[in-house]
């Protein structure tokens, strides 16, 4: 009887693993939300959920090692192709634009580089609990990968408020508002 019970239990476990394993082809990405120190140490980027369904990832500069120029003026987005954005301060601006989850467990989309005013294709994923990999490509053959370290402390001058708040980063117009889902209508009412 003991043998029969173990045999049935093994079959049940095998069936459960097969059902759950069938979903393995569509690996969900591990949420990269948090604050990350970029590889060269010049900035901290806060990644957070964004978009109408909160299924995308946006990123904001929340700290800069040198937030101001030699005259004490904050660095601005002077290379932006949009003239309306050229006067905005770099500290607090959005540089990662709604990355979407991919079947291979990453997030992919565009990153904005304020140094040249251009956007590039990027994918990111958690390498470990406190490490993030970010791969950016000019074209598919010209790519560079960086490793970012998660930070839990707060540096002087770091923006700690919620996105859109006084002491927080500012989302670009297209990501600033989360559209509420339409209410479900019950027929006959």
């Amino acid at each position: 009887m003991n043998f029969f019970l173990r045999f049935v239990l093994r079959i049940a476990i095998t069936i459960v693993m097969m059902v759950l394993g069938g979903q393995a082809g569509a690996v969900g990405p591990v949420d990269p939300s948090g604050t990350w120190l970029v590889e060269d140490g010049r900035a901290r980027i806060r990644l957070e959920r964004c978009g109408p369904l909160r299924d995308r990832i946006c990123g904001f500069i929340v700290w800069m090692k040198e937030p101001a120029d030699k005259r004490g003026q904050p660095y601005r987005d002077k290379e932006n192709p949009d003239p309306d954005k050229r006067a905005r301060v770099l500290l607090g601006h959005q540089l990662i634009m709604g990355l979407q989850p991919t079947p291979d467990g990453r997030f992919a989309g565009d990153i904005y580089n304020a140094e040249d005013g251009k956007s590039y294709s990027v994918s990111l994923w958690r390498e470990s609990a406190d490490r993030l990999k970010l791969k950016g490509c000019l074209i598919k053959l010209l790519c560079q990968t960086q490793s970012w370290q998660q930070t839990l402390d707060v540096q002087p001058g770091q923006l700690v408020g919620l996105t859109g708040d006084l002491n927080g980063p500012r989302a670009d117009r297209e990501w600033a508002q989360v559209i509420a889902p339409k209410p479900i209508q019950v027929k006959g009412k």
Side-chain angles (χ1 to χ4, degrees):
M1 191 72 160
N2 234 353
F3 170 77
F4 181 72
L5 188 57
R6 284 195 309 243
F7 179 73
V8 170
L9 186 58
R10 284 184 183 165
I11 290 176
I13 290 172
T14 302
I15 291 171
V16 168
M17 291 179 73
M18 286 173 48
V19 169
L20 295 176
Q23 299 170 353
V27 176
V30 177
D31 191 341
S33 295
T35 302
W36 302 89
L37 179 65
V38 300
E39 191 170 84
D40 65 10
R42 294 187 312 162
R44 288 181 177 204
I45 310 300
R46 184 165 75 202
L47 300 178
E48 59 188 47
R49 293 291 184 155
C50 62
L53 301 176
R54 313 290 293 160
D55 61 338
R56 297 187 182 207
I57 296 295
C58 289
F60 307 88
I61 298 175
V62 294
W63 176 84
M64 295 170 62
K65 189 173 188 176
E66 296 180 23
D69 63 20
K70 293 175 183 171
R71 299 182 321 239
Q73 297 299 310
Y75 285 110
R76 301 202 178 269
D77 194 7
K78 63 183 179 186
E79 300 297 324
N80 198 303
D82 180 347
D84 293 338
K85 294 181 179 178
R86 290 182 188 151
R88 73 177 174 179
V89 175
L90 288 183
L91 180 62
H93 96 85
Q94 184 172 351
L95 76 156
I96 295 179
M97 312 299 177
L99 305 181
Q100 296 181 330
T102 65
D104 63 351
R106 298 178 179 195
F107 286 90
D110 292 325
I111 188 168
Y112 172 73
N113 181 356
E115 291 178 357
D116 64 10
K118 296 181 181 175
S119 293
Y120 299 94
S121 296
V122 69
S123 66
L124 60 82
W125 64 97
R126 274 194 192 256
E127 181 181 49
S128 64
D130 65 344
R131 285 251 178 235
L132 187 79
K133 287 288 190 180
L134 182 127
K135 181 179 181 180
C137 298
L138 180 59
I139 56 174
K140 290 194 182 236
L141 300 175
L142 297 174
C143 298
Q144 181 180 7
T145 302
Q146 290 188 7
S147 183
W148 292 2
Q149 176 72 42
Q150 189 164 28
T151 62
L152 301 174
D153 64 330
V154 176
Q155 291 292 317
Q158 184 171 327
L159 301 177
V160 293
L162 297 174
T163 301
D165 284 350
L166 183 61
N167 191 29
R170 292 160 303 285
D172 282 359
R173 277 181 243 118
E174 61 271 26
W175 300 102
Q177 296 179 359
V178 175
I179 301 167
K182 293 181 180 178
I184 300 172
Q185 295 182 352
V186 180
K187 291 186 179 187
K189 290 194 177 187

